[in-house]
Amino acid sequence: MYKHVALLVRQSDMSHEAFVEHWQNTHTPIAKDIEGVVRYQQVLPTEPEHAEFDGLAELYFETLDDLHEALGSEGSRDYDPTKEIAAKARRDVDNFLDVERRPRLIGKERVVKDEVDGDTDGLYKHSAFLVRKDGMTHEQFLDHWQNTHTPIAKEIEGVVRYCQVVPTDPENAEFDGIAELYFDDIDKLYDALGSEGSRDYEAKGGKAAEAREDVDNFLAIEKRPRFIGHERLVKNAIETDDGY
């Protein structure tokens, strides 16, 4: 499944509350029907006053061509769709988002661990937008992330689902990948990965501490945005064995 993740930043003259009202009540009824969208979920920050972004919009497509036709390709934060509803959604973006400050990533999702059968509605999620260390290639980053770090991270205390998003066009992507760790309790998430307000954190022990120690081997943590939020499922038009 191909996924478009937009890290949303509200316009400068808009409060977070006004942003949420427009996003969910005006924009969402349009965006959920964008041509080709088979699943749409939103993530709202648990601590908006400390969060780096106002929310995450995550749209899934069955094919990469469908995604590109609706939402453009990597290499630009803006896009110019030709499909009717996608174009309508893009016009509305200018009513509440600062597009130039809105990073995004287009990638393919890889489910590493799933104890909830794909049902993420209402779960708490830590999304880390990964940037590799200087001197490391994207391929070297992937090798370390997936073969060394992932076996540790998926066993972090409290994690009920762990997904990775790998960019389809890494040369033009803003990030080297996204690590998504789901918890059913916000205190478990904070205990393992810290809270909003800093890109770094100090894990209290166990696998979380082991994973944090390994982070320094392959990530530029000061360049790595992260987002802690509460996921809301807006649309799911497909069903498979893992819920997608």
Side-chain angles (χ1 to χ4, degrees):
M1 196 63 59
Y2 296 94
K3 183 174 181 178
H4 180 281
V5 181
L7 293 73
L8 307 182
V9 179
R10 68 184 184 270
Q11 293 184 355
S12 59
D13 60 349
M14 178 178 279
S15 68
H16 175 73
E17 292 72 23
F19 157 84
V20 172
E21 196 281 331
H22 187 101
W23 182 28
Q24 296 196 336
N25 297 322
T26 300
H27 189 75
T28 297
I30 305 169
K32 70 182 180 62
D33 292 324
I34 287 173
E35 295 84 353
V37 170
V38 294
R39 182 181 171 100
Y40 176 30
Q41 59 206 29
Q42 299 173 338
V43 189
L44 279 170
T46 53
E47 298 181 26
E49 66 273 18
H50 298 303
E52 292 198 49
F53 306 99
D54 289 283
L56 304 181
E58 304 181 348
L59 292 89
Y60 291 78
F61 297 77
E62 290 185 344
T63 73
L64 191 56
D65 286 343
D66 286 344
L67 191 160
H68 286 329
E69 287 181 12
L71 299 173
S73 58
E74 292 281 15
S76 172
R77 293 185 175 186
D78 207 347
Y79 59 100
D80 186 17
T82 58
K83 297 291 184 70
E84 179 182 1
I85 300 176
K88 183 178 180 182
R90 174 61 192 86
R91 289 193 296 271
D92 184 59
V93 159
D94 291 331
N95 294 321
F96 72 112
L97 289 183
D98 186 339
V99 174
E100 294 303 315
R101 296 172 57 213
R102 182 207 64 170
R104 63 181 188 144
L105 187 134
I106 294 169
K108 192 166 187 179
E109 186 175 79
R110 173 178 182 247
V111 179
V112 176
K113 175 180 182 177
D114 187 7
E115 296 180 353
V116 295
D117 296 326
D119 183 9
T120 60
D121 190 34
L123 293 181
Y124 296 94
K125 180 161 75 171
H126 179 282
S127 298
F129 299 88
L130 309 180
V131 179
R132 66 184 184 271
K133 287 181 68 171
D134 289 343
M136 177 178 277
T137 67
H138 176 73
E139 290 71 24
Q140 290 170 331
F141 156 83
L142 282 182
D143 176 69
H144 188 99
W145 182 28
Q146 296 189 342
N147 297 316
T148 300
H149 189 76
T150 297
I152 305 168
K154 71 184 180 69
E155 301 302 333
I156 288 174
E157 295 78 4
V159 171
V160 296
R161 182 177 169 90
Y162 176 32
C163 299
Q164 298 174 339
V165 185
V166 178
T168 53
D169 184 7
E171 291 186 2
N172 292 306
E174 297 201 45
F175 307 105
D176 287 282
I178 307 173
E180 302 176 335
L181 289 88
Y182 288 87
F183 297 76
D184 58 14
D185 183 278
I186 189 61
D187 289 332
K188 293 178 183 177
L189 190 160
Y190 288 157
D191 284 345
L193 300 172
S195 59
E196 291 280 14
S198 171
R199 293 186 174 187
D200 205 350
Y201 62 99
E202 183 177 350
K204 295 182 178 180
K207 288 294 182 180
E210 187 178 345
R212 174 61 191 87
E213 183 178 353
D214 183 58
V215 158
D216 292 329
N217 294 322
F218 72 112
L219 292 183
I221 198 162
E222 72 282 356
K223 298 179 182 177
R224 182 208 68 168
R226 65 182 187 137
F227 188 88
I228 295 171
H230 198 218
E231 188 158 290
R232 170 180 178 244
L233 180 64
V234 175
K235 174 181 180 176
N236 187 17
I238 48 176
E239 294 289 342
T240 64
D241 291 342
D242 66 353
Y244 287 99

